[in-house]
Amino acid sequence: MILYTIMPLESVYPTQQSEYERYVSIQYNGITVVGERNTDQTFLVNRIISTDPNHYLDTTLYPGSIISYTNQ
């Protein structure tokens, strides 16, 4: 079968469920963040989930930052 489309491959062939399972959401200083837990009690932030603009202006919390957390 040949598929002619202008859609990106990610839309035509969705990502496996295991890719989504590695992401979790946690509360960090009252802000919901989504990212990946590391083995050494750190957390890699991928997204900030907030409607408050001040949360995005915080220089310590941004996508790509590594924060410390305690397993609650």
Side-chain angles (χ1 to χ4, degrees), residues 47-59:
R47 272 183 232 152
I48 300 171
I49 310 295
S50 177
T51 56
D52 186 357
N54 290 323
H55 293 164
Y56 295 92
L57 296 173
D58 185 4
T59 59

Side-chain angles (χ1 to χ4, degrees), residues 3-60:
L3 179 64
Y4 295 100
T5 181
I6 60 169
M7 300 294 292
L9 287 178
E10 294 82 19
S11 297
V12 177
Y13 302 109
T15 307
Q16 298 294 326
Q17 184 64 27
S18 62
E19 290 292 317
Y20 295 108
E21 292 172 354
R22 67 182 183 173
Y23 296 107
V24 294
S25 63
I26 64 168
Q27 291 279 45
Y28 181 75
N29 292 339
I31 305 168
T32 304
V33 294
V34 176
E36 303 174 48
R37 284 191 173 124
N38 296 327
T39 57
D40 58 350
Q41 297 297 321
T42 59
F43 190 82
L44 174 64
V45 176
N46 287 350
R47 272 183 232 152
I48 300 171
I49 310 295
S50 177
T51 56
D52 186 357
N54 290 323
H55 293 164
Y56 295 92
L57 296 173
D58 185 4
T59 59
T60 60

